[in-house]
Structure formats: structure tokens, C-alpha cells
Amino acid sequence: METDRPLDALNNARNKRVILELKNQKQFIGKLKAFDIHINAVLDDAEEYVDGQLRKKMGTVFVRGDTIIYIAVAD
Amino acid sequence: METDRPLDALNNARNKRVILELKNQKQFIGKLKAFDIHINAVLDDAEEYVDGQLRKKMGTVFVRGDTIIYIAVAD
Amino acid sequence: METDRPLDALNNARNKRVILELKNQKQFIGKLKAFDIHINAVLDDAEEYVDGQLRKKMGTVFVRGDTIIYIAVAD
Amino acid sequence: METDRPLDALNNARNKRVILELKNQKQFIGKLKAFDIHINAVLDDAEEYVDGQLRKKMGTVFVRGDTIIYIAVAD
Amino acid sequence: METDRPLDALNNARNKRVILELKNQKQFIGKLKAFDIHINAVLDDAEEYVDGQLRKKMGTVFVRGDTIIYIAVAD
Amino acid sequence: METDRPLDALNNARNKRVILELKNQKQFIGKLKAFDIHINAVLDDAEEYVDGQLRKKMGTVFVRGDTIIYIAVAD
Amino acid sequence: METDRPLDALNNARNKRVILELKNQKQFIGKLKAFDIHINAVLDDAEEYVDGQLRKKMGTVFVRGDTIIYIAVAD
């Protein structure tokens, strides 16, 4: 597995469930389908959380990269 | 359907009704007509929501990309 | 009418009265005379609104693009 | 008078007294001497207003473009 | 050890445990695996701290560069 | 004196005492020694003011351009 | 000593103790080892101050340029 560059880590997370934390305190959990160099990201089967509470189930969601704090593989 | 890049997801949503959440807590719901690499987006038959309440019906609206948090196909 | 790209929608609005909502909660209503790829925009016969109240009538106003949330044709 | 592009409107305002509203709620009124594509602007005989009250008379002032909301010819 | 350019310092910290302080008051501590010129960074065995309290243990986390204030080798 | 472009105004202020107002409500007063297209600026014999009160005398200070609101020649 | 451009001033401060003030009200004091055109900076023997109180002694710290307000040689 290539891990030298930050985007390699995202590539290794592709098709896995990830947590995506946003600057507005919300989180998305979903399957990472796509991302680009701006860290724009697309999740499938996405769920929106606010303060740890599930707020909305969504299908596919496109998240603009500049709103993202971090992306991590969900346990 | 192409889904490798984030903008492919937006392309698949073209002409469908989408929810577009903004950084100022508002949402737009409308038919996605156009977008570009800055995520500038154009909706037709757009409705503006604040805290889940419909506030204004609009025709065509151009939304500047840097105000957008996410775009998802509406149920 | 060309509508494939977001700026096409702005082009279709040229010389029409538009609502322009800003990030600082204000709105401008006026005739759209010019715009560019940064969404810098020029309105003629512009009126400035705060919380829906007319606050100032202005002639021509140049609005810096990065302060704009959306632009829509006024009813 | 050329008015097709937003900067044409600024060019038409050159050497006229303009109002320049800033993101920090202040306004400058002065004679527009220069501007560039970042909307950096230089005013002569500039006056600084806060909440509509004159606060300071200044000579020439250079205003960084990214702090500007709008520029309009003063009545 | 090369230290002339700021990224050299990050390179010297590679594979060491680092503290990464974010603009939203949180900190991550983990092993620095990768970074790029935007200061996007990847940590392994990452822990999230809020006000000095451990809040979450995570595996690998990708942190978007523009949310980072500083990166320092942990004691 | 060249005044067509905004940076000409800064060039005319070189080696003069200037007021430099920052986005965080502070001001610097000092002799303008250098600036660049990002409006990064260097002052000599700089004084830091908060709410009009002198807070600190400093020697040479480098101020990052994106924190600057305006630069004006001090009376 | 070259002082025509802002980065010359930073170059003259290299290997000296500097104060580095951040947008989040914190300050770092340490020996300036490296910087680049984004004003990313590396300090050695860095100390973190909040409201003038020493909060943490650190070794080498990489500070992201866009969080910096000013850099000055410490007395």
C-alpha cells in the first residue's frame, strides 16, 4: 500500500466507511466513493450527525473540500 | 455511470432535485441545471429553507460555490 | 438559451433585475449589468436591503464576488 | 462608456468620490484614484465612517481588496 | 539534516509522534506518515484531544491542511 | 509620482510613517520599508496600538498581507 | 543587509529569536530556522504564550503561514 503522500491514505480508504468531520461541527459517515485534490469527496449511504446524534440518512452526497477538517476510516 | 471523480457524482445529479446546504445555515432545494469546478451551481424551481422552514420560492438561482457545504439528491 | 454552465445562467439574467444576497446578511436588488468569473458583479439602479427593509438607493454598484451567496432574477 | 465587465464600472468611477464598504462594518468615502484586479483600491481625501459617523479624515489610503464588499459612486 | 525550508522540518518529523493543533481548538497526536505542500497531513494511531482531554482513538486520519495551526514533535 | 496602480500608492509611502490597520482591530504605526503584491509589509520602529492605546514598541516587524485592511500615511 | 522585499526582513531574522503572533490570539517565541513564500515558518526552542503567559515549551515547531499575523525580532 502506497502511503507516502496524503492522498494515498484517502485512496486506501476508498470504498470503506469513513467519518468525515466538517468545520460546522457536523459529521458525515458513509462509504468513500471519490475525492480529488481539493478534498471534495463523495460518500454513498451517507448519514449526517450533529453532536453525535444521527440527524438524516441520505443517499449519495457530494461534500465540498474546503468544509472538511478530517477524514478517517470508521471502526 | 462514471463515479470515479467527485464531479461525476454531480453530473449524475444533473436535472434531478437536489438539496444544497450552505455555510450560513440555509438550504436550497431545486433542480440541478449546471455546476463548474468551483462548485458554482445553478438550480431551477429553487426553494430557500431556513431551519427546515420554506422561506422563499424562487425561479432560477445561481449559488456561488464557496458558500456550499454539500449537495445531495433530494428524496 | 445556453444553460450548461453556471455563468450561462448569469448571462441570461443580464439587464434583468436580480436579487443578490451577501454573506453579511444584506441584499442588493438592481439591474445586472456585468459579472466576471470571480462573480464580481455590477448592478444599476441598485437598492440595498437589510432584513427585508430598504436601506439605501444607490446608482451603480460594484459588488466583490467573494461576498456573494446567490444571484437570482427578481420577480 | 464601456460597461461589459465589472472593472469597467470601476474605471468609470475613477477620479469620482466613491463609497467603499468593508467587511468590518466600516466605510470609506474618497476619490477613487486606482484599483487592480484584486480590487485593491486607493482613495484620495479619504474619510473613515463607522455606523454612519465620520471617525477620521485621512489623506491617501490603500485598501486591500479582500476586505471590500462594494464600491459605489457617492451622491 | 536539511532544515533550510519549512517542509524539511516536517520531513524530519516523519514517522515520529507529533502534535497537530487545529483552528477549531482540537489537537491530534499521532505518528506523522505523510504531508504535502498544502500541509495536508496523515497520522497513524491518531488520538483526538479537546481541551487537553482525550476524546477519541482513531486509526489513520487524513487532516486537511488549511485547518492546521502548527505541527510539533511530541515529547 | 506614479499613481495609476494601487501599489504605486504604497511605493510613494515607502520610508514614510504609515498606519496599518489589521483585521483583528489592532493597528501598527511605523516606517514602511518594504511590501509585495500580497501586501506583506515590513515596518521599522513599529508601534502596536489596540483601541488607540500604545501597547508595545517593536523594532522591525513583518506583517502578513492577508491580515491588513488598509495602509495610510500617518499625519 | 538587503531590505527591499518583505522576505528580506525575515531572512535578516533567521537564527534570531522572534515573536510570532497568530490569528487565534496565541504567540510563539523561538529561534527562526526557516520560512517560505507562504510564510510557513519553523521555530526552534519554541515557547507558546497565551495572553502573555507561557503555556508550553516545545522543541521545533512548524507553523502554517496563513495563521500568522506578524513576525518580529524579540528584544
Side-chain angles (χ1 to χ4, degrees), chain F residues 14-26:
Chain F
R14 204 188 281 263
N15 289 313
K16 295 183 185 155
R17 278 178 71 75
V18 296
I19 302 179
L20 195 152
E21 183 152 306
L22 303 189
K23 290 180 183 162
N24 68 350
Q25 321 263 33
K26 292 185 187 174

Side-chain angles (χ1 to χ4, degrees), chain E residues 5-59:
Chain E
R5 294 163 304 176
L7 296 201
D8 293 333
L10 291 186
N11 211 34
N12 293 336
R14 204 189 282 262
N15 288 315
K16 296 183 183 154
R17 278 179 70 74
V18 296
I19 303 179
L20 195 151
E21 182 152 306
L22 304 189
K23 290 181 182 163
N24 68 350
Q25 321 265 34
K26 292 184 185 174
Q27 291 183 317
F28 279 109
I29 296 183
K31 193 191 292 185
L32 182 64
K33 296 306 290 180
F35 62 88
D36 61 22
I37 57 164
H38 307 291
I39 322 304
N40 294 322
V42 174
L43 302 183
D44 266 4
D45 301 320
E47 298 170 326
E48 186 186 5
Y49 287 80
V50 180
D51 296 325
Q53 302 297 317
L54 176 62
R55 194 160 102 173
K56 193 158 49 174
K57 284 175 179 279
M58 311 168 80

Side-chain angles (χ1 to χ4, degrees), chain G:
Chain G
M1 266 190 343
E2 201 61 54
T3 62
D4 274 5
R5 294 163 303 177
L7 295 201
D8 294 332
L10 292 185
N11 212 33
N12 293 335
R14 204 188 281 263
N15 289 314
K16 297 184 183 153
R17 279 178 69 75
V18 296
I19 303 179
L20 195 153
E21 183 152 306
L22 303 189
K23 290 180 183 163
N24 67 351
Q25 322 264 31
K26 292 184 185 173
Q27 292 183 317
F28 280 109
I29 296 183
K31 193 191 292 184
L32 182 64
K33 295 307 290 180
F35 61 88
D36 62 21
I37 56 164
H38 307 292
I39 322 303
N40 294 322
V42 174
L43 301 183
D44 266 4
D45 302 319
E47 298 170 326
E48 186 186 5
Y49 287 81
V50 180
D51 296 326
Q53 303 296 317
L54 175 62
R55 194 159 102 174
K56 193 158 49 173
K57 284 174 180 279
M58 311 168 80
T60 300
V61 62
F62 169 97
V63 184
R64 199 172 191 270
D66 75 324
T67 69
I68 294 175
I69 296 176
Y70 71 77
I71 302 176
V73 173
D75 307 317

Side-chain angles (χ1 to χ4, degrees), chain C residues 1 5 8 11 13 18 21 24-25 28-30 32 34-35 38-39 44-45 48 58-59 61 70-73 75:
Chain C
M1 268 190 340
R5 295 162 303 177
D8 293 333
N11 211 34
V18 296
E21 183 153 307
N24 68 350
Q25 320 264 33
F28 280 109
I29 297 183
L32 183 63
F35 61 89
H38 307 292
I39 323 303
D44 266 3
D45 301 319
E48 185 186 6
M58 311 168 80
V61 62
Y70 71 75
I71 301 176
V73 173
D75 307 317

